[in-house]
Amino acid sequence: MHKTRPYAWTIATLLILSGVSIFVGVGDMTFSGLWLNPSEMQLLLISRGPRTFAALLSGASIAVSGVIMQLLVRNKFVEPGTTGTTESAMLGLLLVTVFAPQWPIFAKMAVAALTALLGVLGFVFLVRKLPPQRPLMIPIVGLIYGGILGAGATFIAYQADLIQYIGVWMSGEFSGVLAGRYELLWLAGGLTLLAYFSADQFTVAGLGRDTSRALGLRYGYVLALGVSTVALVSALVVVTVGMLPFVGLVVPNIVSRIMGDNLRQSLPVVAGLGAGCVLLSDIIGRVARFPYEIPAGTVFGILGAAVFLWLLLGRRSHV
Amino acid sequence: MISIEHVSYKIGDTPIISDVTTALPKGKVTALIGPNGAGKSSLLNIIARQATATTGTVEIDGLDVTQTDPRILAHKMAIVSQHVGVASRLRVRDLIGFGRWPHNHGRPTQIDVDKIDEALSQFDLEPLAHRFVDELSGGQRQRAFVAMGFVQDTDWVLLDEPLNNLDLRHARALMAHLKQMSAQHGKSIVIVLHDLNFAMSWADHIVALKNGQVAFSGPTRDVAHASSLSDLYNTDVQIHAQGEQFFVAHHGPL
Amino acid sequence: MFDKRLIVLFICLALASGVFLTWGLTGRIWFILELRSVKLVALISVGISIGLATVLFQTLSGNRILTPSIMGFDALFLLVQTSFVFSLGGVGYAGLSDLTLFAANTLVMVVAAVALFGMILRRSRKDIHLMILVGVVFGLMFRAISAFLQRMINPSEFSYIQGAMFAQFSAINGIELIASVVVLVMIGIWLARHCAVLDVVALGRDTARGLGINYDRFQFTTLCVIAALVSVSTALVGPITFLGLLVSTLAHSLMKSHRHALILPAAALISALVLVVGQTYFERIMRLQSTLSVAIEFGGGLLFLILLARGKTL
């Protein structure tokens, strides 16, 4: 495959999907109407546009944070959504909502990021204890670890009568996205861009601590950078739209099978494919039971799990 | 007699055994030998009904193994496993006791208890009778499995490389037991062996496989010559006689 | 058969049941007793089903870390249930009698489970971790599809989310309960007759076949039994992922035997005991509703991680 083909395909697909996203939804909007009718332009600027951007940004940043985690943990079947990071962020958000509901959104986000960081570190620590010749144990441990954290969060939610919030956060959706309520996601996008500039360092870090050090890499620094990015992105997405599991796991694996693991080349495609998957899930969620909406997280929960199973059962060459 | 007629076996697209026809004599110790990947274990598995041949038939004393009721076959042949995938912990005595299942279907009688005691003493397992199987060493576990096959009281006993984990003394003891089972009790033993010396010293009948086909087969003294063995293993092999024993020499610089 | 430990367990269960029925009994005594009795029978039935299903599944899969719920059996049942509602439509669903629904759900569940988990079991002895992961992801996928279908059926309510995620011990359907008890009795009889065979099955496919057992046919029947048991417990209260693991670990630690004649009753009794005691504790003493299942998920999940890390059972 030519080097330019994946990029071109990705950009084209994203443009098409974005176009579709803008015109799909409750509320009339036509291309000509946009210019003629001021209320339609409002709809675009306040709802459709931000919603589309939110989906693209969260998809891209989650996919990239998935790659980072896979390199740091040295296992292809992990991502923040399936290893307890998002559950940790949710736990933090829950605690803030219980104890300090009046805090501004930035403060809440900071707490969520902090708990997410603890969650990631907990997982990385757990993984260190596992035997390396059993690679599939790592995603299993991640899923159960996330499940335990989720159960803990549910327990607190039951006691504080916040169980409805948990339901919303657990299946990420974009229906509540309006201009002025999603801008944090641009921060996630910025972090993703930063990650791109550090792509080579992450690739080397993926060879392991000893190899990286031997190659002159500041491993501890890169590890800290990676873990922080993952935690921050997870917190940003969870706070703004909720959990979107499987995106960070499935997208990097597919890109890896097509393009290999040279991050400098593949990272843009990973971001693009992630963005596209989430946006597509959101579009499906909007039309499946029109005019009601199904959360994008639920839609991709099915698609992503199916692809994950295919990855596991189809070609079992390496993990 | 076990008759193997035109048996072929494939895994996916890879042929493992191609059109093998041979007969394994009754009341004797038969060794299946050959280089790695020759198909020895696969052939044994097909006889033992643990794998299904792609073509051809295997008959044991006139019974087609794929057509006969497993319960009847369990009275005819015992297959000595390498391991048991059990989740809960078994004691050695319990494991051996399972070998009596075809006879008592879970309701042990005094006969069963006596047979188990006999096996425990024959295979040097009496001090280990109440230990858990997963706590034993590789060699001890191997002997426990052979004891389980022994207790099943069948005409035929099939073993797949049972000597791997055994030290000199126990390997020799096991082969001596098998020989005794055949000579004195009329049992027929089929054993896959890696070590030529054991095959030469203990087997009455040899079936040699190479690349999934029979290279040669027949009574040991007749067919196992230096030339046929050298061809089989693609390396220089010489046979020296020392009194009653034969010694296969295959070491030294290439 | 009547091992001392089993008798002790039975007595504990009887005592716990007594406490459950009579703790804080005031006011309209007979009415409350009736309600509590129904709940008690449900708790014990669910406990027995989960305990038995887990031990049987572990026998088939050859290890002590897998359980039907970890592998997604109960998520599958929820999916079957939800699909029924979705395809029949609200009116059609309400039109069928409870018994028909229960039977139909269970039947489809058995077929689906045997197909899916038969496939998984066949490959699992070669690569156990792969199969655990596959089972867990299947479970996640089934839950996602159920959530999707539930949204399609009823797009504007949130309450279903609670029901789908964790078990509810509050609303028990009377007809389903009776049907469940009947199913349990039948299964109990079948198990009593086949305990010895199960012991041989536990040795693994090759060894069992070498001893004359028709392993494939027995695996099929056992999977049907497991599916029916899971249907019973999930239909009554919903999914409890880690109870089976907790119970089976305790049963093996207590009985220290490979014999199903001992392990099966032990698991059933311990499971029922955990549920009755747990529910009494959380509902009566702590006055916390709906948290028993969460507590079990939490504790059981920890146990799972510990067992996995120790690696001794794989």
Side-chain angles (χ1 to χ4, degrees), chain C residues 66-118:
Chain C
L66 290 188
T67 69
S69 8
I70 292 177
M71 296 300 283
F73 264 82
D74 39 9
L76 177 61
F77 183 78
L78 279 176
L79 180 59
V80 166
Q81 244 183 353
T82 316
S83 311
F84 256 110
V85 177
F86 182 70
S87 47
L88 293 176
V91 177
Y93 195 79
L96 293 175
S97 80
D98 284 337
L99 198 57
T100 321
L101 277 173
F102 182 77
N105 274 326
T106 308
L107 197 64
V108 174
M109 170 67 180
V110 167
V111 170
V114 169
L116 182 61
F117 296 103

Side-chain angles (χ1 to χ4, degrees), chain B residues 79-153:
Chain B
I79 305 119
V80 174
S81 323
Q82 298 284 2
H83 64 268
V84 142
V86 74
S88 47
R89 313 185 70 204
L90 272 182
R91 296 185 195 272
V92 170
R93 202 189 175 85
D94 295 326
L95 178 69
I96 298 177
F98 275 115
R100 297 296 299 165
W101 173 270
H103 301 280
N104 63 28
H105 290 283
R107 279 181 276 280
T109 62
Q110 190 55 43
I111 303 176
D112 301 309
V113 175
D114 293 336
K115 292 257 178 206
I116 298 172
D117 287 332
E118 186 189 343
L120 283 170
S121 92
Q122 284 259 16
F123 292 95
D124 221 4
L125 290 168
E126 268 159 340
L128 302 170
H130 290 284
R131 295 270 300 278
F132 286 114
V133 171
D134 55 8
E135 283 173 358
L136 301 178
S137 72
Q140 291 167 333
R141 205 174 318 155
Q142 192 71 283
R143 284 185 286 142
F145 281 115
V146 177
M148 180 178 155
F150 175 81
V151 136
Q152 209 174 322
D153 227 357

Side-chain angles (χ1 to χ4, degrees), chain A residues 134 137 151 159 289 295 316, chain C residues 127 129 152 288 291 294 308:
Chain A
R134 305 266 187 109
M137 274 180 78
Q159 306 321 309
R289 189 72 162 81
R316 292 237 42 246
Chain C
D127 192 335
H129 289 106
M152 297 287 276
L288 293 167
T291 52
V294 176
L308 196 65

Side-chain angles (χ1 to χ4, degrees), chain C residues 261-282:
Chain C
L262 293 176
I263 299 282
L264 282 171
L269 287 171
I270 293 175
S271 181
L273 193 58
V274 166
L275 285 181
V276 172
V277 170
Q279 188 68 5
T280 313
Y281 178 74
F282 279 107

